[in-house]
Coordinates of all heavy atoms in Angstrom, one line a residue:
V1 N 141.3 90.1 100.8 CA 142.2 89.0 100.5 C 143.2 89.5 99.4 O 142.7 89.8 98.3 CB 141.5 87.7 100.2 CG1 142.6 86.6 99.9 CG2 140.5 87.3 101.2
K2 N 144.5 89.4 99.7 CA 145.5 89.8 98.7 C 145.4 88.8 97.5 O 145.2 87.6 97.7 CB 146.8 89.6 99.4 CG 148.0 90.1 98.7 CD 149.2 90.0 99.7 CE 150.6 90.2 99.0 NZ 150.9 89.6 97.8
P3 N 145.7 89.4 96.3 CA 145.6 88.5 95.1 C 146.7 87.5 95.1 O 147.8 87.7 95.7 CB 145.9 89.5 93.9 CG 145.7 90.8 94.5 CD 145.9 90.8 96.0
M4 N 146.5 86.3 94.5 CA 147.5 85.3 94.3 C 148.3 85.8 93.1 O 147.9 86.6 92.4 CB 146.8 84.0 93.9 CG 146.0 83.3 95.0 SD 147.1 82.4 96.2 CE 147.8 81.2 95.1
T5 N 149.5 85.1 92.9 CA 150.2 85.4 91.7 C 149.3 85.1 90.5 O 148.8 83.9 90.4 CB 151.5 84.5 91.6 OG1 152.3 84.8 92.8 CG2 152.3 84.8 90.4
P6 N 149.1 86.0 89.6 CA 148.2 85.8 88.4 C 148.8 84.8 87.4 O 150.1 84.7 87.4 CB 148.0 87.2 87.8 CG 149.1 88.0 88.3 CD 149.6 87.4 89.6
R7 N 148.0 84.1 86.7 CA 148.4 83.3 85.6 C 148.5 84.1 84.4 O 147.5 84.7 84.0 CB 147.4 82.1 85.5 CG 148.1 80.8 84.9 CD 147.1 79.7 84.9 NE 146.0 80.0 84.0 CZ 144.7 79.9 84.5 NH1 144.5 79.6 85.7 NH2 143.7 80.2 83.7
C8 N 149.6 84.2 83.8 CA 149.8 85.1 82.6 C 150.0 84.2 81.3 O 150.9 83.3 81.4 CB 151.0 86.0 82.7 SG 150.7 87.2 84.0
T9 N 149.3 84.5 80.3 CA 149.6 83.8 79.0 C 150.0 84.8 78.0 O 149.3 85.8 77.7 CB 148.2 83.2 78.5 OG1 147.4 82.9 79.6 CG2 148.5 81.9 77.7
V10 N 151.2 84.6 77.5 CA 151.8 85.5 76.5 C 152.3 84.7 75.3 O 153.0 83.7 75.5 CB 153.0 86.3 77.1 CG1 153.7 87.2 76.1 CG2 152.6 87.1 78.3
P11 N 151.8 85.0 74.1 CA 152.3 84.2 72.9 C 153.8 84.4 72.7 O 154.3 85.5 73.0 CB 151.5 84.8 71.7 CG 151.0 86.1 72.2 CD 150.9 86.1 73.7
K12 N 154.5 83.4 72.4 CA 156.0 83.4 72.2 C 156.4 84.2 71.0 O 157.3 85.1 71.1 CB 156.6 82.0 72.1 CG 156.4 81.1 73.3 CD 157.6 81.2 74.2 CE 157.4 80.4 75.4 NZ 156.7 81.0 76.5
A13 N 155.7 84.0 69.9 CA 156.1 84.7 68.6 C 154.8 85.0 67.8 O 153.9 84.1 67.7 CB 157.0 83.9 67.8
V14 N 154.7 86.2 67.3 CA 153.5 86.6 66.5 C 154.0 87.3 65.2 O 154.9 88.2 65.3 CB 152.7 87.6 67.3 CG1 151.4 88.0 66.6 CG2 152.4 87.1 68.7
P15 N 153.5 86.9 64.1 CA 153.9 87.5 62.8 C 153.4 89.0 62.8 O 152.3 89.3 63.3 CB 153.2 86.7 61.7 CG 152.7 85.5 62.4 CD 152.5 85.8 63.9
V16 N 154.2 89.9 62.2 CA 153.8 91.3 62.0 C 152.4 91.4 61.4 O 152.1 90.7 60.5 CB 154.9 92.0 61.2 CG1 154.4 93.4 60.8 CG2 156.2 92.1 61.9
G17 N 151.6 92.3 61.9 CA 150.3 92.5 61.4 C 149.2 91.6 61.9 O 148.0 91.9 61.7
K18 N 149.6 90.6 62.7 CA 148.6 89.7 63.2 C 148.1 90.1 64.6 O 148.7 91.0 65.2 CB 149.2 88.3 63.4 CG 149.5 87.6 62.1 CD 148.3 87.1 61.4 CE 148.6 86.4 60.1 NZ 147.7 86.7 59.0
T19 N 147.0 89.5 65.0 CA 146.4 89.8 66.3 C 147.2 89.0 67.4 O 147.5 87.8 67.1 CB 144.9 89.4 66.4 OG1 144.3 90.2 65.4 CG2 144.3 89.7 67.7
A20 N 147.4 89.6 68.6 CA 148.0 88.8 69.7 C 147.2 89.1 70.9 O 146.9 90.3 71.2 CB 149.4 89.3 69.9
S21 N 146.8 88.1 71.6 CA 146.0 88.2 72.9 C 146.9 87.7 74.1 O 147.4 86.6 74.1 CB 144.8 87.4 72.8 OG 143.9 87.8 71.8
L22 N 147.0 88.6 75.1 CA 147.7 88.3 76.3 C 146.7 88.3 77.4 O 145.9 89.2 77.5 CB 148.8 89.3 76.6 CG 150.1 89.3 75.7 CD1 149.7 89.7 74.2 CD2 151.1 90.2 76.2
H23 N 146.8 87.2 78.2 CA 145.8 87.1 79.3 C 146.5 87.1 80.7 O 147.6 86.6 80.8 CB 145.0 85.8 79.1 CG 144.3 85.8 77.8 ND1 143.1 86.4 77.6 CD2 144.6 85.2 76.6 CE1 142.7 86.3 76.4 NE2 143.6 85.5 75.7
C24 N 145.8 87.6 81.7 CA 146.3 87.6 83.0 C 145.1 87.4 83.9 O 144.1 88.1 83.8 CB 146.9 89.0 83.3 SG 147.5 89.2 84.9
H25 N 145.2 86.4 84.9 CA 144.0 86.2 85.7 C 144.4 85.5 87.0 O 145.3 84.7 87.1 CB 143.0 85.2 85.0 CG 141.7 85.1 85.7 ND1 140.8 86.1 85.8 CD2 141.2 84.1 86.4 CE1 139.8 85.7 86.5 NE2 140.0 84.5 86.9
E26 N 143.7 85.9 88.1 CA 143.8 85.2 89.4 C 142.4 85.3 90.0 O 141.7 86.3 89.7 CB 144.9 85.8 90.2 CG 144.7 87.2 90.8 CD 143.8 87.2 92.1 OE1 144.0 86.3 92.9 OE2 143.0 88.0 92.2
N27 N 142.1 84.3 90.8 CA 140.7 84.4 91.4 C 140.7 84.2 92.9 O 139.6 83.9 93.4 CB 139.8 83.4 90.7 CG 140.4 82.0 90.5 OD1 141.3 81.7 91.3 ND2 139.9 81.3 89.6
E28 N 141.8 84.5 93.6 CA 141.8 84.4 95.0 C 141.5 85.7 95.7 O 141.0 85.8 96.8 CB 143.2 83.9 95.6 CG 143.5 82.5 95.1 CD 142.7 81.5 95.7 OE1 142.4 81.5 97.0 OE2 142.2 80.6 95.0
G29 N 141.9 86.8 95.0 CA 141.8 88.1 95.6 C 140.4 88.6 95.8 O 139.5 88.3 95.0
Y30 N 140.2 89.3 97.0 CA 138.9 89.8 97.3 C 139.1 91.2 97.9 O 139.8 91.2 98.9 CB 138.0 88.9 98.2 CG 136.6 89.4 98.4 CD1 135.7 89.1 97.4 CD2 136.3 90.2 99.4 CE1 134.4 89.7 97.6 CE2 135.0 90.8 99.6 CZ 134.1 90.5 98.7 OH 132.8 91.0 98.8
P31 N 138.5 92.3 97.5 CA 137.6 92.4 96.3 C 138.4 92.0 95.0 O 139.6 91.9 95.0 CB 137.2 93.9 96.3 CG 138.2 94.6 97.1 CD 138.7 93.6 98.1
K32 N 137.6 91.8 94.0 CA 138.2 91.4 92.7 C 139.4 92.2 92.3 O 139.3 93.4 92.4 CB 137.1 91.5 91.6 CG 136.7 90.2 91.0 CD 135.5 90.4 90.1 CE 135.5 89.7 88.8 NZ 136.5 88.6 88.6
S33 N 140.4 91.6 91.7 CA 141.6 92.3 91.3 C 141.3 93.1 90.0 O 140.5 92.8 89.2 CB 142.7 91.3 91.0 OG 143.1 90.7 92.2
T34 N 142.1 94.2 89.9 CA 142.2 94.9 88.6 C 143.6 94.6 88.1 O 144.5 94.3 88.9 CB 142.0 96.4 88.6 OG1 142.9 96.9 89.6 CG2 140.6 96.7 89.0
Y35 N 143.8 94.6 86.8 CA 145.1 94.1 86.2 C 145.7 95.2 85.4 O 145.1 96.0 84.7 CB 144.8 92.9 85.2 CG 144.1 91.8 85.9 CD1 142.8 91.6 85.9 CD2 144.9 90.9 86.6 CE1 142.1 90.6 86.6 CE2 144.3 89.8 87.3 CZ 142.9 89.7 87.3 OH 142.3 88.6 87.9
S36 N 147.1 95.3 85.5 CA 147.8 96.2 84.7 C 149.0 95.5 84.1 O 149.6 94.6 84.7 CB 148.4 97.4 85.6 OG 148.9 96.9 86.8
W37 N 149.3 95.8 82.8 CA 150.3 95.2 82.0 C 151.5 96.1 81.9 O 151.4 97.3 81.9 CB 149.8 94.9 80.6 CG 149.0 93.6 80.6 CD1 147.6 93.5 80.7 CD2 149.4 92.3 80.5 NE1 147.2 92.2 80.6 CE2 148.3 91.4 80.5 CE3 150.7 91.7 80.3 CZ2 148.4 90.0 80.3 CZ3 150.8 90.3 80.2 CH2 149.7 89.5 80.2
Y38 N 152.7 95.4 81.8 CA 154.0 96.1 81.7 C 154.7 95.5 80.5 O 154.7 94.3 80.3 CB 154.8 96.0 83.0 CG 154.2 96.7 84.1 CD1 153.1 96.2 84.8 CD2 154.7 98.0 84.5 CE1 152.5 96.9 85.9 CE2 154.1 98.6 85.5 CZ 153.0 98.1 86.2 OH 152.4 98.8 87.2
R39 N 155.4 96.4 79.7 CA 156.3 95.9 78.7 C 157.7 96.4 79.1 O 157.9 97.6 79.2 CB 155.9 96.4 77.3 CG 157.0 96.0 76.3 CD 156.6 96.3 74.8 NE 156.4 97.7 74.6 CZ 155.4 98.3 74.0 NH1 154.4 97.5 73.5 NH2 155.3 99.6 73.9
N40 N 158.7 95.5 79.2 CA 160.0 95.8 79.6 C 160.0 96.8 80.9 O 160.7 97.8 80.9 CB 160.8 96.5 78.5 CG 160.8 95.6 77.2 OD1 160.8 94.4 77.3 ND2 160.8 96.2 76.1
S41 N 159.1 96.4 81.8 CA 159.0 97.1 83.1 C 158.3 98.5 83.0 O 158.2 99.2 84.0 CB 160.3 97.2 83.8 OG 160.8 96.0 84.0
E42 N 157.9 98.9 81.8 CA 157.2 100.1 81.6 C 155.7 99.8 81.6 O 155.2 99.0 80.9 CB 157.5 100.8 80.2 CG 158.9 101.2 80.1 CD 159.1 102.6 80.6 OE1 158.3 103.5 80.3 OE2 160.0 102.8 81.4
P43 N 154.9 100.6 82.4 CA 153.4 100.4 82.4 C 152.8 100.7 81.1 O 153.1 101.6 80.4 CB 152.9 101.3 83.5 CG 154.0 102.3 83.8 CD 155.3 101.7 83.3
L44 N 151.8 99.8 80.6 CA 151.1 100.1 79.4 C 149.8 100.7 79.8 O 149.1 100.2 80.7 CB 150.7 98.7 78.7 CG 151.9 98.0 78.0 CD1 151.4 96.7 77.5 CD2 152.5 98.9 76.9
S45 N 149.5 101.9 79.3 CA 148.3 102.6 79.6 C 147.1 102.0 79.1 O 147.1 101.6 77.9 CB 148.4 104.1 79.1 OG 147.2 104.7 79.2
P46 N 146.0 101.9 79.9 CA 144.7 101.4 79.3 C 144.2 102.3 78.2 O 143.3 101.9 77.4 CB 143.8 101.3 80.5 CG 144.6 101.6 81.7 CD 145.9 102.2 81.3
D47 N 144.6 103.6 78.3 CA 144.1 104.6 77.3 C 145.2 105.0 76.3 O 145.9 105.9 76.7 CB 143.5 105.8 78.1 CG 142.9 106.8 77.2 OD1 142.8 106.6 76.0 OD2 142.6 107.9 77.7
T48 N 145.2 104.4 75.2 CA 146.3 104.7 74.2 C 146.1 106.1 73.6 O 147.0 106.7 73.1 CB 146.3 103.6 73.1 OG1 145.0 103.5 72.6 CG2 146.8 102.3 73.6
K49 N 144.8 106.6 73.5 CA 144.5 107.8 72.8 C 145.2 109.0 73.6 O 145.7 110.0 72.9 CB 143.0 108.1 72.8 CG 142.3 107.0 72.0 CD 142.5 107.1 70.5 CE 141.9 105.9 69.8 NZ 142.8 104.7 69.8
S50 N 145.2 109.0 74.9 CA 145.7 110.2 75.6 C 147.2 110.2 75.8 O 147.8 111.1 76.3 CB 145.0 110.2 77.0 OG 145.5 109.1 77.8
N51 N 147.9 109.1 75.4 CA 149.3 109.0 75.7 C 150.0 109.1 74.3 O 149.9 108.3 73.5 CB 149.7 107.7 76.3 CG 151.1 107.6 76.7 OD1 152.0 108.2 76.1 ND2 151.4 106.9 77.8
A52 N 150.7 110.3 74.1 CA 151.4 110.5 72.8 C 152.3 109.4 72.4 O 152.4 109.1 71.2 CB 152.1 111.9 72.9
K53 N 153.0 108.8 73.4 CA 154.0 107.8 73.1 C 153.3 106.6 72.5 O 153.9 105.8 71.8 CB 154.7 107.3 74.4 CG 156.1 108.0 74.5 CD 157.1 107.2 75.4 CE 156.5 106.3 76.5 NZ 157.3 106.2 77.7
L54 N 152.1 106.4 72.8 CA 151.4 105.1 72.5 C 150.3 105.3 71.4 O 149.7 104.4 71.0 CB 150.6 104.6 73.7 CG 151.5 104.2 74.9 CD1 150.6 103.9 76.1 CD2 152.3 103.0 74.6
H55 N 150.2 106.5 70.8 CA 149.1 106.7 69.9 C 149.2 105.9 68.6 O 148.2 105.6 67.9 CB 148.9 108.2 69.5 CG 149.9 108.8 68.6 ND1 151.0 109.4 69.1 CD2 149.9 108.8 67.3 CE1 151.7 109.8 68.0 NE2 151.1 109.5 66.9
N56 N 150.4 105.3 68.3 CA 150.6 104.4 67.2 C 150.2 103.0 67.6 O 150.1 102.1 66.7 CB 152.0 104.4 66.6 CG 152.2 105.8 65.9 OD1 151.3 106.4 65.4 ND2 153.5 106.2 65.9
S57 N 150.2 102.7 68.8 CA 149.9 101.3 69.3 C 148.4 101.0 69.0 O 147.6 101.8 69.1 CB 150.1 101.2 70.8 OG 151.5 101.2 71.0
S58 N 148.2 99.8 68.6 CA 146.9 99.3 68.3 C 146.5 98.2 69.3 O 146.4 97.1 68.9 CB 146.7 98.9 66.9 OG 147.5 97.8 66.7
Y59 N 146.5 98.5 70.6 CA 146.1 97.5 71.5 C 144.9 98.0 72.4 O 144.6 99.2 72.5 CB 147.3 97.1 72.4 CG 147.8 98.1 73.4 CD1 147.1 98.3 74.6 CD2 148.9 98.8 73.1 CE1 147.5 99.3 75.5 CE2 149.4 99.8 74.1 CZ 148.7 100.0 75.2 OH 149.1 100.9 76.1
T60 N 144.2 97.0 73.0 CA 143.1 97.3 73.9 C 143.5 96.6 75.2 O 143.8 95.4 75.2 CB 141.8 96.7 73.4 OG1 141.7 97.1 72.0 CG2 140.6 97.3 74.1
L61 N 143.4 97.3 76.3 CA 143.7 96.7 77.6 C 142.5 96.8 78.5 O 142.0 97.9 78.6 CB 144.9 97.5 78.2 CG 145.7 96.9 79.3 CD1 146.9 97.8 79.7 CD2 144.9 96.6 80.5
N62 N 142.0 95.7 79.0 CA 140.9 95.7 79.8 C 141.3 95.4 81.3 O 141.6 94.3 81.6 CB 139.8 94.7 79.3 CG 138.6 94.7 80.2 OD1 138.6 95.0 81.3 ND2 137.5 94.4 79.5
P63 N 141.4 96.4 82.1 CA 141.9 96.2 83.5 C 141.0 95.3 84.3 O 141.5 94.7 85.3 CB 141.8 97.7 84.1 CG 141.7 98.6 83.0 CD 141.0 97.8 81.9
A64 N 139.7 95.1 84.0 CA 138.8 94.3 84.7 C 139.0 92.8 84.4 O 139.0 92.0 85.3 CB 137.4 94.7 84.5
T65 N 139.3 92.5 83.1 CA 139.5 91.1 82.8 C 141.0 90.7 82.7 O 141.3 89.5 82.6 CB 138.9 90.8 81.4 OG1 139.5 91.6 80.4 CG2 137.4 91.1 81.4
G66 N 141.9 91.7 82.6 CA 143.3 91.3 82.5 C 143.7 91.0 81.1 O 144.8 90.5 80.8
T67 N 142.8 91.3 80.1 CA 143.2 90.9 78.7 C 143.8 92.1 78.0 O 143.3 93.2 78.1 CB 141.9 90.5 78.0 OG1 141.3 89.5 78.7 CG2 142.2 90.0 76.6
L68 N 144.9 91.8 77.3 CA 145.6 92.8 76.5 C 145.6 92.3 75.1 O 146.2 91.2 74.8 CB 147.0 93.0 77.0 CG 148.0 93.8 76.2 CD1 147.6 95.2 76.0 CD2 149.4 93.8 76.9
V69 N 145.0 93.0 74.2 CA 144.9 92.5 72.8 C 145.6 93.5 71.8 O 145.2 94.7 71.8 CB 143.4 92.3 72.3 CG1 143.4 91.9 70.9 CG2 142.7 91.3 73.2
F70 N 146.5 93.0 71.1 CA 147.2 93.8 70.0 C 146.4 93.5 68.7 O 146.3 92.3 68.3 CB 148.6 93.5 69.8 CG 149.5 93.9 71.0 CD1 149.7 93.1 72.0 CD2 150.0 95.2 71.0 CE1 150.5 93.5 73.1 CE2 150.8 95.7 72.1 CZ 151.0 94.8 73.1
H71 N 145.8 94.5 68.1 CA 145.0 94.2 66.9 C 145.9 93.9 65.6 O 145.5 93.2 64.8 CB 144.1 95.4 66.6 CG 143.2 95.6 67.8 ND1 142.3 94.8 68.3 CD2 143.3 96.6 68.8 CE1 141.7 95.2 69.4 NE2 142.3 96.4 69.7
A72 N 147.1 94.6 65.6 CA 148.0 94.3 64.5 C 149.4 94.6 65.1 O 149.8 95.8 65.2 CB 147.7 95.2 63.3
V73 N 150.1 93.6 65.5 CA 151.4 93.8 66.1 C 152.4 94.3 65.1 O 152.4 94.1 63.9 CB 152.0 92.5 66.7 CG1 151.1 92.0 67.9 CG2 152.1 91.4 65.7
H74 N 153.4 95.1 65.7 CA 154.5 95.6 64.8 C 155.8 95.3 65.7 O 155.7 95.0 66.8 CB 154.4 97.0 64.4 CG 154.2 98.0 65.5 ND1 155.2 98.5 66.3 CD2 153.1 98.5 66.1 CE1 154.8 99.3 67.2 NE2 153.5 99.4 67.1
K75 N 156.9 95.4 65.0 CA 158.2 95.1 65.7 C 158.4 95.8 67.1 O 158.9 95.2 68.0 CB 159.4 95.6 64.8 CG 159.6 94.6 63.6 CD 160.2 93.3 64.1 CE 160.6 92.4 62.9 NZ 160.8 91.0 63.4
G76 N 157.8 97.0 67.2 CA 157.9 97.7 68.5 C 157.2 97.1 69.6 O 157.4 97.4 70.8
D77 N 156.3 96.1 69.3 CA 155.6 95.4 70.4 C 156.4 94.3 71.0 O 156.0 93.7 72.0 CB 154.3 94.9 69.8 CG 153.3 96.0 69.4 OD1 153.3 97.1 70.1 OD2 152.6 95.9 68.4
T78 N 157.5 93.9 70.3 CA 158.4 92.9 70.9 C 158.9 93.3 72.3 O 159.1 94.5 72.5 CB 159.6 92.7 70.0 OG1 159.2 92.2 68.7 CG2 160.6 91.7 70.6
G79 N 158.9 92.4 73.2 CA 159.5 92.7 74.5 C 159.1 91.7 75.6 O 158.5 90.7 75.3
R80 N 159.4 92.1 76.8 CA 159.1 91.2 78.0 C 157.8 91.7 78.6 O 157.8 92.9 79.1 CB 160.2 91.2 79.0 CG 161.5 90.5 78.4 CD 162.6 90.4 79.5 NE 162.7 91.6 80.3 CZ 163.3 92.8 79.9 NH1 163.9 92.8 78.7 NH2 163.4 93.8 80.7
Y81 N 156.8 90.9 78.7 CA 155.5 91.4 79.3 C 155.3 90.7 80.6 O 155.6 89.6 80.8 CB 154.4 91.0 78.3 CG 154.3 91.8 77.1 CD1 155.2 91.6 76.0 CD2 153.5 93.0 77.0 CE1 155.2 92.4 74.9 CE2 153.5 93.8 75.9 CZ 154.3 93.5 74.8 OH 154.3 94.3 73.7
S82 N 154.7 91.5 81.5 CA 154.3 91.0 82.8 C 153.0 91.7 83.2 O 152.7 92.8 82.7 CB 155.4 91.2 83.9 OG 155.7 92.5 84.0
C83 N 152.3 91.1 84.2 CA 151.1 91.7 84.6 C 151.0 91.7 86.1 O 151.6 90.8 86.8 CB 150.0 90.7 84.1 SG 148.4 91.0 84.8
I84 N 150.4 92.7 86.7 CA 150.2 92.8 88.1 C 148.7 92.9 88.4 O 147.9 93.6 87.8 CB 150.9 94.1 88.7 CG1 152.4 94.0 88.5 CG2 150.5 94.3 90.1 CD1 153.1 95.2 89.0
A85 N 148.3 92.0 89.3 CA 146.9 92.0 89.8 C 146.9 92.8 91.1 O 147.7 92.5 92.0 CB 146.4 90.5 90.1
T86 N 145.9 93.7 91.3 CA 145.9 94.6 92.4 C 144.5 94.7 93.0 O 143.5 94.7 92.2 CB 146.3 96.0 92.0 OG1 147.5 96.0 91.3 CG2 146.5 97.0 93.2
N87 N 144.4 94.7 94.3 CA 143.1 95.0 95.0 C 143.5 95.8 96.3 O 144.6 96.1 96.5 CB 142.3 93.8 95.2 CG 142.8 92.8 96.3 OD1 143.8 93.2 97.0 ND2 142.2 91.7 96.4
D88 N 142.4 96.0 97.1 CA 142.7 96.8 98.3 C 143.6 96.2 99.3 O 144.2 96.9 100.1 CB 141.3 97.1 99.0 CG 140.4 97.9 98.2 OD1 140.8 98.5 97.2 OD2 139.2 97.9 98.5
A89 N 143.8 94.9 99.2 CA 144.6 94.2 100.2 C 146.1 94.0 99.7 O 147.0 93.7 100.5 CB 144.1 92.8 100.4
G90 N 146.4 94.3 98.4 CA 147.8 94.2 98.0 C 147.8 93.9 96.5 O 146.9 94.2 95.8
F91 N 148.9 93.3 96.1 CA 149.1 93.0 94.7 C 150.0 91.8 94.5 O 150.7 91.4 95.4 CB 149.7 94.3 93.9 CG 151.1 94.6 94.3 CD1 152.2 94.1 93.6 CD2 151.3 95.5 95.4 CE1 153.5 94.4 94.0 CE2 152.6 95.8 95.7 CZ 153.7 95.3 95.1
A92 N 150.0 91.2 93.3 CA 150.8 90.1 93.0 C 151.2 90.2 91.5 O 150.4 90.7 90.7 CB 150.1 88.8 93.3
K93 N 152.4 89.8 91.2 CA 152.9 89.9 89.8 C 153.3 88.6 89.2 O 153.8 87.7 89.9 CB 154.1 90.8 89.9 CG 154.8 91.1 88.5 CD 156.0 92.0 88.7 CE 156.5 92.3 87.3 NZ 157.9 92.6 87.2
C94 N 153.0 88.4 87.9 CA 153.4 87.2 87.3 C 154.8 87.4 86.7 O 155.3 88.5 86.6 CB 152.5 86.7 86.2 SG 152.5 87.7 84.7
E95 N 155.5 86.2 86.4 CA 156.8 86.3 85.7 C 156.8 87.0 84.4 O 155.8 86.9 83.7 CB 157.3 84.8 85.5 CG 157.6 84.0 86.7 CD 158.9 84.5 87.3 OE1 159.9 84.6 86.6 OE2 158.9 84.8 88.5
E96 N 157.8 87.7 84.1 CA 157.9 88.3 82.8 C 158.0 87.2 81.7 O 158.7 86.2 81.9 CB 159.2 89.2 82.6 CG 159.1 90.5 83.3 CD 160.2 91.4 82.9 OE1 161.3 90.9 82.7 OE2 160.0 92.6 82.9
Q97 N 157.4 87.4 80.6 CA 157.4 86.5 79.5 C 157.7 87.3 78.2 O 157.2 88.3 78.0 CB 156.1 85.7 79.3 CG 155.8 84.8 80.5 CD 154.5 84.1 80.3 OE1 154.3 83.5 79.3 NE2 153.6 84.2 81.3
E98 N 158.6 86.7 77.4 CA 159.0 87.3 76.1 C 158.0 87.1 75.0 O 157.5 86.0 74.9 CB 160.3 86.7 75.7 CG 161.0 87.3 74.5 CD 161.7 88.6 74.9 OE1 162.4 88.7 76.0 OE2 161.7 89.6 74.1
M99 N 157.7 88.2 74.3 CA 156.9 88.0 73.1 C 157.7 88.6 71.9 O 158.1 89.8 72.0 CB 155.5 88.8 73.2 CG 154.7 88.7 71.9 SD 153.0 89.4 72.0 CE 153.4 91.1 71.6
E100 N 157.9 87.8 70.9 CA 158.6 88.3 69.7 C 157.7 88.5 68.6 O 156.8 87.7 68.3 CB 159.7 87.2 69.4 CG 160.8 87.8 68.6 CD 162.0 86.8 68.5 OE1 162.4 86.3 69.5 OE2 162.4 86.6 67.4
V101 N 158.0 89.6 67.9 CA 157.2 89.9 66.7 C 158.0 89.8 65.4 O 159.1 90.3 65.4 CB 156.6 91.4 66.7 CG1 155.8 91.7 65.5 CG2 155.7 91.5 68.0

């Protein structure tokens, strides 16, 4: 079963240095969906260590739960965030939402 449009929760504004949690979830898809996050239409890698562009980022992305957590946000984390839920039957994307740091 193709995933439904996921419900995405993105904080509107976060002070520099604070924690920010972004959530993405849908429960219609079967098999269970995996989630990927995008900032300004660029995919965010679940593995920040292996990506040179992201090694300064302090976030954790869990593809199974759809949770994206910034441990200490900085100005560079400002942007439009969206999430895609994917399974064998297809994918669905939530609306982009702005997060300001």
Side-chain angles (χ1 to χ4, degrees):
V1 180
K2 188 176 173 312
M4 293 280 297
T5 301
R7 208 175 60 238
C8 295
T9 331
V10 177
K12 296 264 177 281
V14 186
V16 170
K18 292 286 183 220
T19 300
S21 296
L22 289 68
H23 301 278
C24 178
H25 189 70
E26 71 81 41
N27 46 23
E28 296 293 311
Y30 186 84
K32 243 168 137 17
S33 295
T34 55
Y35 301 96
S36 45
W37 279 95
Y38 292 79
R39 177 174 59 226
N40 303 331
S41 304
E42 294 275 311
L44 289 176
S45 167
D47 183 8
T48 51
K49 300 286 172 278
S50 68
N51 187 328
K53 261 201 338 210
L54 298 171
H55 75 269
N56 288 334
S57 287
S58 61
Y59 69 79
T60 313
L61 201 174
N62 185 327
T65 62
T67 305
L68 170 62
V69 178
F70 289 93
H71 305 291
V73 293
H74 56 81
K75 283 290 186 198
D77 295 323
T78 294
R80 294 183 320 279
Y81 286 82
S82 60
C83 164
I84 294 179
T86 309
N87 70 9
D88 296 343
F91 65 92
K93 180 179 182 207
C94 72
E95 289 288 308
E96 280 191 331
Q97 295 179 51
E98 189 77 40
M99 179 174 85
E100 200 169 312
V101 179

